[in-house]
Amino acid sequence: MSTEPPTSPSVHENGRVADTAFWQAVSRIRDGAPIADEASTLLRELTEEEKLGLLDGDGEFWSGMAAMGKQYNATPIVMGEIARLGVPGFRFSDGPRGVVMGESTAFPVSMARGATWDLALEEEIGRAIGAEMRAQGGNFFGGVCINLPRHPAWGRAQETYGEDPYLLGEFGAALVRGVKRHGMAVAKHYALNSMENARFKVDVAADDATLHEVYLPHFRRVVEEGADGIMTSYNSVNGEWAGENETLLERILRAQWGFEGVTISDFIFGFRNSAKSVRAGLDVEAPMRQQRARDLPSDLNAGRLSWEHVERAARRVLTTQLRFFAGDRDAEPEPSVVFSADHRALSRRAAATSAVLLKNDLVGGLPVLPWNPHVTRSVAVVGRLSDIPNTGDKGSSNVHSPHVVSPLEGIRAAVPHATVVHVGDDDPVAAGLAASRADVAVVVVGYTAEDEGEYLGDSMLSTPGLRAVFPAFPPGMAMPSAEDRNDNLMGTAAGGDRVSLRLRSADVEMILAVAEANPRTVVAIVTAGAVIIEEWEPSVSAILVSWYAGSEGGHALADVIFGAVDASGRLPYSIPKTEDHLPFFDADAEAVTYDRWHGQRLLDRDGHQAAYPLGYGLSYTEFTIDDVVVGPLEGERFGVTVRVTNCGDRPGRHVVQIYGVVDAEDFPRRSLLGFAAIDLPPGEQRAIEVTASVRPMLRWTDSGWAPASSAAVIEAASYSGDPNAVSGALSLG
């Protein structure tokens, strides 16, 4: 793995280094020369060794593994550099909750950002992430994670935006737009990656309709938005490893969708057969010189691979870089942008906007929340998560912020005049006593990286064929023992898929003790996926999903509970009443079949009422939606205009959600088509137009896309299945 300082594009553009073939080509492209011609010219200048070198990472494998053992991706991981010609290379930084390099800003996890239902905010976050990456020498952001969590137990649900394909696609596209102001944007993991413990062995089967209607639309959307790269997943799809799957890579991604960027493998274990991966359309093996460096020369000599396939991949590597560096970008940021005050403020705003208020009962004639900071004299803050830095899992998405504001710190800062009593241990007696003596209480419960996240346990090395991906050990080196491994090298059994969708029994005991002692108790749940709360929900008056909330999460939590901002987050998934209402999930499965049915659409099909439906969330004020007007269909999109009224006495933010209802066999009855947020002062009303898409109401057939029904009812709602929704009609032809 290269540790040399990166080549700064702006340095080249300002002419302060020797002119090279690559930057001459960039200049000609800016003057109107076709990118394809310039890429072909560069390709002809490469030696055979250089061509092969573009097809994998630039760093040596075992020294790179040693570097990752100290801190994963501490500096840019370089792939595709040809210094002789000035080709800068892809300088990779992982994500998605921020830049994992250096000491960067941790934003709320993607699932929390999905709960904002705010695409402009996500684009702003993408721009900030891109700036922090570029300021640290990166140009290739591998953090546009848009996998669909078929089951909420998936350990990496925190890295994606929600259960709905439309929501995933629009948020992924917003992040792409933001990141591309500074760097190339890479979407992952393509495709059907939603199991963690079994990711290196499981084969996911899905028919064409399920693929195109449920598990691929969001990838298609980011391709349309201009994603520069697509990273394949570890699992196999319909019997072929994703990194060797020609149907996914060439037939669908390129032939059907017109993708023109570069494809890269997921790191280290991305395929099993080097020649087959190149033939299938996988351009780059990431992150280092590994299987391809070992195998491709002999594959070429034996006829298992042609130079035509090698040059196809190499041309894509060059073309993607040329397109990016010849394009328009923001000015190069100063190093001070990393963990800057502006970016921390943005993280705080996103975290506050994401908080979802599930329950807010009356106590003494008033809602429990928000607390009045001017009259709050004492607060009990309890729970094992109340005073720890807890921004998400510790795998490839880990962001090393210099400081993380805990809930306790945030609350103390919000009410410096108040007495704040802290009980951090699992001690319900002490917690209840503290709550009984306080005006208000908050119990912070949920999960950490020990409970969910990326899995790299020792058991993965027992997966057949997995050890074969490693190149030969250097002289005197052997596979490290379990005792010598750490989280960043071969991993531990921490994280992975969740073993339960419920809180720990110790958390429940704390909740019940505090709620009994103080009726003005708020439960804040730190989570990514759905948590089933039926066993204790009736005993508490207020419940807030506060997520893995980033560097400023503690301040953001205080902003919400003390009413500095409205509680305006909306669930990006449904929460069932029982696990029995979810698809079957086996964390260790070697084979699984996916169909159309999961989440809200599965609950709807089976007639099960959600505990909290997709899009649900309370506010500190009340809103109504009326006067719906459904505009004409223009291509695949149409507008829906509604009037939103803030009926309460506080300013607030509401999310208008557009759903399409169709009557079709073996097809979701209700689908999300669009959404938009609006801020309103108390007592005011305003018209808002929401752009919606008919794609979620189309069915994939042998002849391509077709409407699932000839007509649809269009609902403007506050959540899926909202009984107060207003509706219109739309003809689908």
Side-chain angles (χ1 to χ4, degrees):
M1 185 182 300
S2 173
T3 57
E4 295 180 0
T7 303
S8 169
S10 65
V11 171
H12 285 289
E13 292 162 4
N14 292 334
R16 293 198 294 268
V17 299
D19 215 357
T20 61
F22 180 86
W23 292 99
Q24 289 174 350
V26 167
S27 179
R28 289 191 293 270
I29 292 167
R30 288 174 174 167
D31 289 338
I35 294 177
D37 291 352
E38 296 300 328
S40 294
T41 299
L42 276 177
L43 186 63
R44 287 192 293 270
E45 295 191 40
L46 299 182
T47 66
E48 289 185 349
E49 181 180 0
E50 287 171 333
K51 291 176 183 176
L52 289 174
L54 290 177
L55 273 58
D56 57 19
D58 294 358
E60 293 303 321
F61 183 80
W62 289 112
S63 60
M65 290 291 283
M68 282 198 288
K70 298 175 182 177
Q71 180 182 324
Y72 167 73
N73 204 176
T75 58
I77 298 171
V78 182
M79 298 169 268
E81 179 184 21
I82 304 291
R84 182 178 67 86
L85 300 179
V87 181
F90 303 121
R91 297 179 178 270
F92 180 93
S93 175
D94 221 327
R97 66 181 189 264
V99 176
V100 304
M101 300 186 298
E103 295 184 331
S104 305
T105 306
F107 292 91
V109 295
S110 299
M111 190 67 82
R113 283 146 42 203
T116 69
W117 296 64
D118 190 331
L119 299 179
L121 177 59
E122 183 63 10
E123 184 172 345
E124 190 177 352
I125 289 171
R127 201 164 189 159
I129 289 173
E132 294 202 11
M133 173 182 69
R134 189 175 175 190
Q136 297 178 79
N139 63 26
F140 199 64
F141 180 64
V144 184
C145 185
I146 51 172
N147 291 114
L148 187 151
R150 173 178 172 267
H151 192 284
W154 179 37
R156 292 175 75 174
Q158 62 192 267
E159 295 187 42
T160 191
Y161 294 103
E163 72 172 36
D164 185 84
Y166 180 82
L167 190 73
L168 284 170
E170 293 306 309
F171 266 91
L175 187 63
V176 166
R177 288 194 297 271
V179 168
K180 281 174 69 72
R181 299 309 306 163
H182 290 283
M184 290 169 271
V186 183
K188 64 184 184 184
H189 307 84
Y190 184 69
L192 289 93
N193 176 49
S194 57
M195 296 173 64
E196 186 60 14
N197 295 21
R199 60 182 171 158
F200 298 115
K201 64 180 180 181
V202 67
D203 178 55
V204 183
D207 60 31
D208 282 350
T210 298
L211 277 172
H212 287 278
E213 294 171 17
V214 182
Y215 290 95
L216 297 185
H218 28 294
F219 285 99
R220 177 187 176 195
R221 179 68 184 88
V222 298
V223 166
E224 292 170 340
E225 197 61 45
D228 304 276
I230 297 290
M231 177 185 284
T232 57
S233 56
Y234 288 126
N235 55 281
S236 66
V237 176
N238 291 329
E240 297 280 0
W241 297 111
E244 303 172 10
N245 197 307
E246 190 169 0
T247 296
L248 289 176
L249 293 171
E250 289 296 315
R251 194 183 81 188
I252 296 175
L253 181 62
R254 295 196 186 273
Q256 291 184 12
W257 300 346
F259 178 63
E260 296 181 343
V262 65
T263 54
I264 71 170
S265 73
D266 204 343
F267 280 21
I268 302 174
F269 306 105
F271 57 82
R272 304 292 192 275
N273 184 299
S274 297
K276 187 176 181 181
S277 72
V278 179
R279 295 196 308 269
L282 182 69
D283 300 325
V284 178
E285 177 184 18
M288 298 165 286
R289 292 170 51 80
Q290 192 183 334
Q291 295 182 79
R292 287 183 172 181
R294 178 190 66 193
D295 300 338
L296 290 190
S298 60
D299 287 334
L300 287 163
N301 289 335
R304 292 185 292 270
L305 183 67
S306 71
W307 277 102
E308 180 182 358
H309 286 111
V310 171
E311 292 184 352
R312 179 183 68 178
R315 182 178 289 106
R316 290 168 176 169
V317 171
L318 295 172
T319 300
T320 302
Q321 294 188 58
L322 287 169
R323 183 183 298 111
F324 170 70
F325 285 109
D328 176 56
R329 296 184 305 287
D330 289 350
E332 186 169 3
E334 295 294 328
S336 59
V337 75
V338 179
F339 201 66
S340 62
D342 285 347
H343 287 180
R344 295 198 303 276
L346 176 61
S347 180
R348 178 174 179 169
R349 175 157 57 94
T353 307
S354 73
V356 180
L357 185 61
L358 296 181
K359 185 176 183 180
N360 194 23
D361 287 350
L362 300 179
V363 173
L366 295 173
V368 172
L369 288 177
W371 297 338
N372 186 335
H374 304 295
V375 300
T376 300
R377 297 164 300 173
S378 57
V379 185
V381 180
V382 306
R384 67 175 181 129
L385 307 184
S386 57
D387 194 29
I388 65 170
N390 188 23
T391 65
D393 100 74
K394 305 298 184 184
S396 60
S397 67
N398 193 13
V399 177
H400 304 272
S401 294
H403 181 69
V404 175
V405 180
S406 70
L408 177 64
E409 181 182 349
I411 289 169
R412 281 177 169 162
V415 282
H417 59 278
T419 299
V420 179
V421 179
H422 178 232
V423 179
D425 297 329
D426 290 333
D427 187 340
V429 174
L433 181 61
S436 69
R437 296 172 175 173
D439 294 337
V440 291
V442 58
V443 189
V444 185
V445 295
Y447 307 107
T448 71
E450 296 296 312
D451 305 302
E452 60 180 351
E454 188 163 11
Y455 181 78
L456 285 173
D458 289 333
S459 62
M460 77 178 191
L461 293 179
S462 64
T463 301
L466 210 56
R467 286 179 179 267
V469 306
F470 295 122
F473 290 111
M477 181 178 180
M479 179 68 74
S481 66
E483 292 77 16
D484 293 333
R485 298 173 193 165
N486 61 37
D487 289 342
N488 291 319
L489 186 55
M490 290 302 168
T492 68
D497 299 310
R498 269 195 283 165
V499 298
S500 173
L501 300 183
R502 298 172 186 263
L503 298 177
R504 301 179 313 145
S505 59
D507 285 339
V508 175
E509 290 177 11
M510 294 282 282
I511 290 170
L512 296 178
V514 173
E516 183 179 6
N518 190 327
R520 294 184 61 80
T521 290
V522 178
V523 176
I525 308 174
V526 180
T527 186
V531 181
I532 295 176
I533 63 176
E534 299 300 293
E535 64 195 284
W536 54 266
E537 179 272 337
S539 301
V540 299
S541 300
I543 303 171
L544 192 71
V545 181
S546 58
W547 312 104
Y548 299 104
S551 303
E552 299 293 309
H555 287 318
L557 177 62
D559 290 340
V560 175
I561 64 177
F562 286 106
V565 299
D566 186 27
S568 65
R570 302 295 185 259
L571 286 175
Y573 49 66
S574 57
I575 301 178
K577 293 183 177 181
T578 171
E579 295 90 336
D580 297 338
H581 296 167
L582 293 167
F584 176 75
F585 184 79
D586 177 5
D588 296 316
E590 296 187 4
V592 62
T593 298
Y594 285 6
D595 57 23
R596 288 187 178 94
W597 306 107
H598 73 282
Q600 186 66 54
R601 59 181 62 188
L602 177 62
L603 296 174
D604 291 346
R605 185 199 70 176
D606 294 344
H608 297 309
Q609 184 179 2
Y612 302 96
L614 172 68
Y616 183 83
L618 300 174
S619 173
Y620 291 152
T621 184
E622 297 289 335
F623 294 93
T624 61
I625 302 173
D626 56 19
D627 288 353
V628 63
V629 177
V630 179
L633 188 60
E634 298 181 1
E636 294 182 322
R637 294 188 175 272
F638 62 99
V640 180
T641 302
V642 297
R643 182 177 61 186
V644 183
T645 303
N646 181 348
C647 304
D649 58 2
R650 296 177 58 92
R653 173 182 176 272
H654 193 54
V655 178
V656 178
Q657 301 164 38
I658 306 300
Y659 293 89
V661 181
V662 299
D663 186 9
E665 184 179 355
D666 193 32
F667 196 84
R669 173 168 172 76
R670 179 177 284 106
S671 301
L672 179 67
L673 309 180
F675 55 89
I678 183 171
D679 291 281
L680 282 176
E684 289 203 8
Q685 59 181 227
R686 190 181 310 156
I688 180 175
E689 183 175 16
V690 184
T691 300
S693 171
V694 298
R695 281 187 181 179
M697 298 186 293
L698 302 181
R699 187 193 294 274
W700 179 261
T701 71
D702 292 340
S703 302
W705 293 104
S709 176
S710 60
V713 175
I714 304 302
E715 297 178 339
S718 298
Y719 54 86
S720 180
D722 179 6
N724 296 316
V726 292
S727 61
L730 180 70
S731 173
L732 299 177

